[in-house]
Amino acid sequence: MVKKIGMFGRRLAVLAGMLVALGGQACPAQDAAPASKPVIRVAVEGAYPPFNFIDANNELQGFEVDLLKSLCDAMTATCELVPHAWDGILKGLVGHEYDAIMSSLEITERRRKRIAFSDPYYRIPAVFIGSKETAPGEVTPAAMAGKRIGTIERTDHETYLRTFYKDSEIVLFAKAEEANLDLLVGRIDAVFADELLLSKFLESREGACCHIIGDAPAEPAYRREAYGIGLRKEDEALRDQFNRAIAQVKADGTYDRIRARYFSFDIK
């Protein structure tokens, strides 16, 4: 009796092994769970249109929001937008409230002491604008000698003009609107500032008086302000991921398609 039970048990064991083997061959892939995408939490201010803003539905929109979505697609990651006021936005990053900041954060040496940055994802070029009676042409220091050039005080543009345009009269203003008004009535010959700021004036009714007479010259080169994604210094792998994604969307044309929705000029 004991021997019969033992034989029966061995047969059951063999049969069970065969069923397991056949079952394993039948559907190994169907039972595998799909790999989940990594989640990256990104802070955005939402108060700097057209780069980032909150729409009527209380949702974040803008150039940076659209670009971030394309970067996350390139990284095969899920990005969660975190609205955050500008005050304390770096503190929140360092304190691990989120993983990155993509909110027109200028890359400066002072900030580099505290956080890391991705490669720049946009730069704002500087231009000279003048009356439409002034034909576009050279805007080098030699070409602008003797001209009255307006710019905004305490900016990189003032520093640049004072350094290189020593034979021009530099006229300082508190706001771009004041400089544009003086250009409109002929008190100055040109305004030098970033193209984003001046393009708003040129697109207005008052701005019909004027046009771009030249980009900041290649020599002497103007150091354009650069903006990058803010990251914690220790998150080197995430920084490398963002850098690869930025390069990819610039190379495949995605960047330019997004940029064209918001700006009529190149900001790469």
Side-chain angles (χ1 to χ4, degrees):
M1 187 71 173
V2 174
K3 289 182 179 180
K4 288 181 180 179
I5 292 173
M7 182 65 71
F8 183 70
R10 284 195 295 274
R11 288 175 179 173
L12 283 176
V14 171
L15 180 59
M18 292 174 65
L19 288 172
V20 169
L22 288 171
Q25 293 175 4
C27 53
Q30 287 86 334
D31 295 333
S36 59
K37 294 181 180 180
V39 176
I40 304 171
R41 289 169 52 80
V42 183
V44 182
E45 182 192 16
Y48 188 48
F51 292 95
N52 60 80
F53 59 92
I54 296 175
D55 67 10
N57 297 319
N58 205 34
E59 294 182 354
L60 283 164
Q61 303 289 351
F63 166 74
E64 289 175 300
V65 174
D66 290 352
L67 181 60
L68 176 60
K69 291 175 182 176
S70 73
L71 297 179
C72 294
D73 288 343
M75 295 188 292
T76 319
T78 298
C79 286
E80 179 181 334
L81 301 180
V82 182
H84 196 289
W86 185 255
D87 289 345
I89 201 167
L90 293 186
K91 182 179 179 181
L93 174 65
V94 175
H96 292 257
E97 293 179 25
Y98 30 81
D99 306 302
I101 300 169
M102 190 166 177
S103 195
S104 291
L105 193 62
E106 186 182 356
I107 301 171
T108 65
E109 289 306 313
R110 182 177 179 181
R111 287 178 178 148
R112 282 186 185 276
K113 294 176 182 178
R114 192 174 182 188
I115 64 171
F117 282 95
S118 70
D119 293 337
Y121 63 87
Y122 85 83
R123 295 180 173 89
I124 298 298
V127 295
F128 291 85
I129 66 170
S131 165
K132 284 189 175 176
E133 296 176 359
T134 304
E138 289 288 331
V139 288
T140 60
M144 299 296 284
K147 302 291 186 181
R148 290 169 55 84
I149 306 173
T151 195
I152 304 168
E153 61 187 354
R154 295 191 296 275
T155 62
D156 290 341
H157 305 100
E158 177 192 349
T159 302
Y160 177 78
L161 291 175
R162 290 198 180 282
T163 302
F164 299 110
Y165 287 71
K166 297 183 182 297
D167 294 326
S168 299
E169 182 180 349
I170 312 304
V171 184
L172 300 180
F173 297 88
K175 298 178 180 179
E177 292 82 2
E178 297 173 0
N180 296 336
L181 178 60
D182 270 22
L183 178 63
L184 178 63
V185 298
R187 284 195 283 262
I188 56 177
D189 302 299
V191 176
F192 179 66
D194 74 57
E195 189 167 358
L196 176 62
L197 196 61
L198 295 180
S199 66
K200 294 177 182 178
F201 168 66
L202 296 178
E203 292 165 4
S204 70
R205 184 178 62 182
E206 294 79 7
C209 66
C210 307
H211 64 168
I212 294 174
I213 58 175
D215 298 332
E219 185 61 40
Y222 173 73
R223 185 191 65 81
R224 297 193 297 171
E225 297 170 341
Y227 298 82
I229 299 167
L231 302 144
R232 288 183 289 273
K233 286 189 174 183
E234 63 269 24
D235 292 341
E236 296 181 3
L238 182 57
R239 181 197 62 200
D240 291 344
Q241 280 184 280
F242 271 116
N243 285 345
R244 287 193 294 269
I246 291 169
Q248 179 179 323
V249 300
K250 286 182 177 180
D252 66 16
T254 301
Y255 183 98
D256 285 330
R257 287 192 293 273
I258 295 171
R259 188 270 306 160
R261 299 173 199 160
Y262 298 94
F263 310 104
S264 58
F265 52 92
D266 187 15
I267 60 173
K268 289 199 295 293

